[in-house]
Amino acid sequence: MKLIPTIGLEIHAELMTNSKVFCSCSAEYGGTPNSRCCPGCSAFPGTLPVLNRKAAELIIKAGAVLNCEISRTTTWDRKNYFYPDLPRAYQISQLYSPVCRNGHVIIKTSDGEKRIGIKQIHLEEDAGKLIHDRSPKYSLADYNRSGMGLIEIVTDPDLHTAEEACAFVEKVRSMLQYADICNGKMEQGSLRCDVNISLAPEGAPLGVRAEIKNLNSVRSISRAVEYEIYRQTRAIENNEPLFQQTRRFSDTDGETYAMRTKENAHDYRYFPDPDIPALVLRDAELDAIFASIPKMPEERFTQYTGEYGITASDAEILIGNKILSDFFENALKEYDNPKAVCAFILTELLRRVNLGEIELENPPFSASDLGRLVKYGYTDKISRGDMKEILRAMIEKRKTPEEACDEGGFWIKEDLKLVESVIDKVIENNPNPVAQYRNGEQKVFGFLMGQASKELKGAATPAAIKQMLESKLK
């Protein structure tokens, strides 16, 4: 009997706002526990929520980049459940009238492209965080995260493999980062994923569903899906009962464990929140938000490979990281030579990153600095062979390219008299290669050029050396 896995995802992405979604507390990550709370997000009696306008703009932007229909009027609901990390004993969320519906994303897998439907995206507040390892007897509650603006992206049950699930999460994460909606830092919990999975014979109704909660890495998503497929397959083949459950995944042993019986929507007793007015969107407001969306990865890839003439493989590396792609584009503002800038970034800059010498998120020089360095090398202001050494000075000594060139004497000076005397000496000291060249063996020119360049380092441009050498050899 062939069993088909069916997978649906719920991606929770924290929004890049300065304050929380229904109060003015800071939304910055971390901080001393319970230092970023107020009576509002701590649910003191008598406090009322006020919607963060920026959060509303960001979910609309998310709907646009994920190809969703945007509701002109949207309302708020209370999702009731009792847990220590939820001060109100309910979560302000959306069920009946979410902001975004009926979207889709195209993913790429080893089997080709596939369209994954998005059922809805809704805006809600995040819960607090329970800490279990500070005390042998108690769990502690940190409410700094409570009330953070959060969007939940709910897919249709269109996924069937771990590869597809990971591809979808990576694609959505990249799009949210590029649109400046969520920083995508899964290790900080800024983006996390719940996986719903069931198995059933091909053509049969969906099987009993399990939900694996709060997966915060792509690797964990892959491992959790693979294990859950194995667990449910084994149970079905052995005629063991399966229960609708919420489960957790252990990174240590690679298995999922039951936490509680899986709730359905009616278990949360959703009802309209009377404290928050409906959000009514006008066309002019939507147009302004849509116009603020920056270039997305697909658009950049088309531009890089088409207009810039960069290879597809190099373009994929550049757009694979928004920080890197932005750095590349800002460097181009200083020197409009995409191939040269791309080559230096992918070889020298990324090599330094991989060696741990610099952090891409906080390099010791600007994209403009790197753009000028490449410009100097490709316009014969410095030798291209010295660019690596100059970059090292920019890293280790926090120098600008100009300061590094001044200090290291890397600027090329056009001393034509010296060029002539050195070339005369090279010709005199290498009679055999000179004779070979004059007899038609063009390949020895490179050797003679190298000898002259070695002597003239910094005294002339390669073009000037080449021109003088050719003249002398004739």
Side-chain angles (χ1 to χ4, degrees):
M1 177 176 59
K2 184 178 182 181
L3 296 172
I4 305 298
T6 299
I7 301 167
L9 301 179
E10 299 169 10
I11 296 177
H12 305 266
E14 287 187 354
L15 300 175
M16 293 173 63
T17 57
N18 292 326
S19 57
K20 294 182 179 181
V21 65
F22 294 116
C23 70
S24 60
C25 289
S26 171
E28 185 179 354
Y29 173 77
T32 303
N34 298 310
S35 63
R36 293 172 181 160
C37 305
C38 71
C41 58
S42 300
F44 280 35
T47 58
L48 293 173
V50 178
L51 177 62
N52 183 325
R53 180 185 179 89
K54 180 68 173 179
E57 292 174 354
L58 290 181
I59 188 173
I60 294 167
K61 191 184 288 189
V65 301
L66 298 177
N67 306 298
C68 293
E69 300 169 3
I70 309 298
S71 302
R72 291 301 191 270
T73 301
T74 185
T75 56
W76 308 92
D77 305 294
R78 292 184 177 182
K79 179 181 180 182
N80 296 272
Y81 63 95
F82 301 95
Y83 209 62
D85 62 359
L86 197 68
R88 303 181 202 273
Y90 65 85
Q91 180 185 38
I92 300 175
S93 183
Q94 296 181 309
L95 177 68
Y96 302 110
S97 181
V99 178
C100 312
R101 296 182 188 270
N102 302 324
H104 71 272
V105 165
I106 305 297
I107 62 171
K108 294 180 181 178
T109 70
S110 57
D111 294 327
E113 292 188 345
K114 183 173 181 179
R115 186 182 192 274
I116 306 301
I118 294 175
K119 179 182 178 182
Q120 69 180 58
I121 308 175
H122 57 264
L123 179 60
E124 61 188 21
E125 60 179 343
D126 207 347
K129 181 180 180 181
L130 294 180
I131 301 170
H132 305 289
D133 57 359
R134 300 282 181 87
S135 168
K137 296 182 178 180
Y138 307 104
S139 290
L140 306 179
D142 178 8
Y143 294 113
N144 280 350
R145 195 176 69 182
S146 178
M148 293 279 282
L150 191 75
I151 59 172
E152 182 173 337
I153 302 165
V154 183
T155 75
D156 292 324
D158 291 342
L159 302 149
H160 299 287
T161 67
E163 181 190 9
E164 291 178 357
C166 292
F168 181 84
V169 172
E170 289 180 320
K171 180 70 176 286
V172 169
R173 177 172 177 259
S174 174
M175 296 176 80
L176 296 181
Q177 288 175 321
Y178 268 89
D180 296 321
I181 295 167
C182 173
N183 64 28
K185 295 181 179 179
M186 299 184 77
E187 71 280 2
Q188 293 182 0
S190 298
L191 188 142
R192 50 197 190 271
C193 183
D194 299 342
V195 175
N196 293 276
I197 181 169
S198 66
L199 269 67
E202 193 169 8
L206 296 180
V208 178
R209 174 168 57 102
E211 181 182 31
I212 303 107
K213 296 287 289 184
N214 290 328
L215 299 168
N216 64 353
S217 74
V218 174
R219 182 171 181 268
S220 292
I221 293 168
S222 178
R223 295 175 69 207
V225 169
E226 294 286 2
Y227 176 79
E228 194 60 23
I229 291 174
Y230 161 76
R231 183 188 74 86
Q232 293 188 29
T233 299
R234 185 180 58 183
I236 293 171
E237 290 177 344
N238 294 334
N239 293 317
E240 297 172 358
L242 286 169
F243 303 98
Q244 186 167 305
Q245 293 176 326
T246 296
R247 302 176 69 86
R248 66 177 181 86
F249 174 72
S250 168
D251 272 313
T252 304
D253 55 25
E255 298 183 6
T256 65
Y257 297 92
M259 296 171 63
R260 58 184 180 269
T261 300
K262 171 61 185 168
E263 297 88 347
N264 289 308
H266 64 266
D267 296 317
Y268 291 114
R269 296 183 296 110
Y270 279 97
F271 65 89
D273 193 308
D275 294 332
I276 312 176
L279 178 64
V280 180
L281 302 172
R282 298 178 177 85
D283 288 343
E285 293 171 323
L286 292 176
D287 290 343
I289 294 170
F290 297 157
S292 70
I293 297 173
K295 285 190 299 184
M296 299 302 287
E298 292 84 356
E299 184 182 355
R300 297 194 190 203
F301 180 83
T302 300
Q303 182 181 32
Y304 294 176
T305 56
E307 179 184 340
Y308 294 167
I310 296 173
T311 65
S313 58
D314 286 350
E316 288 283 5
I317 295 172
L318 287 174
I319 68 170
N321 185 308
K322 181 179 184 293
I323 296 174
L324 185 65
S325 182
D326 287 346
F327 192 93
F328 168 68
E329 297 208 346
N330 288 328
L332 289 185
K333 295 176 183 177
E334 193 66 47
Y335 182 45
D336 189 16
N337 187 334
K339 288 185 177 180
V341 173
C342 172
F344 195 73
I345 285 177
L346 297 190
T347 54
E348 289 307 311
L349 178 64
L350 288 190
R351 184 169 70 88
R352 306 288 184 173
V353 172
N354 293 334
L355 290 172
E357 295 180 7
I358 62 175
E359 294 179 357
L360 194 58
E361 294 81 2
N362 186 31
F365 49 82
S366 68
S368 178
D369 287 337
L370 186 132
R372 295 200 308 280
L373 172 60
V374 178
K375 180 180 181 180
Y376 295 147
Y378 279 78
T379 56
D380 292 331
K381 298 295 189 297
I382 60 174
S383 168
R384 292 187 198 178
D386 291 333
M387 290 168 63
K388 297 179 183 178
E389 194 64 30
I390 297 168
L391 180 65
R392 180 177 294 278
M394 292 167 62
I395 295 171
E396 296 179 353
K397 299 179 180 180
R398 299 298 197 267
K399 300 288 186 181
T400 67
E402 294 80 11
E403 291 169 342
C405 288
D406 289 341
E407 187 176 288
F410 291 112
W411 296 113
I412 292 177
K413 307 172 185 65
E414 293 287 348
D415 189 340
L416 295 182
K417 289 185 178 179
L418 178 62
V419 172
E420 185 174 12
S421 67
V422 167
I423 287 178
D424 286 340
K425 183 179 178 182
V426 168
I427 291 175
E428 179 183 350
N429 292 340
N430 296 278
N432 290 336
V434 170
Q436 288 175 299
Y437 178 81
R438 287 171 174 164
N439 288 329
E441 295 186 33
Q442 300 291 321
K443 63 182 181 180
V444 298
F445 184 84
F447 167 76
L448 297 170
M449 180 76 180
Q451 295 297 306
S453 298
K454 184 177 179 181
E455 290 291 329
L456 289 164
K457 182 178 181 180
T461 65
I465 298 170
K466 182 175 183 291
Q467 183 179 4
M468 181 73 74
L469 181 58
E470 286 176 337
S471 176
K472 292 284 185 177
L473 289 173
K474 290 178 181 178

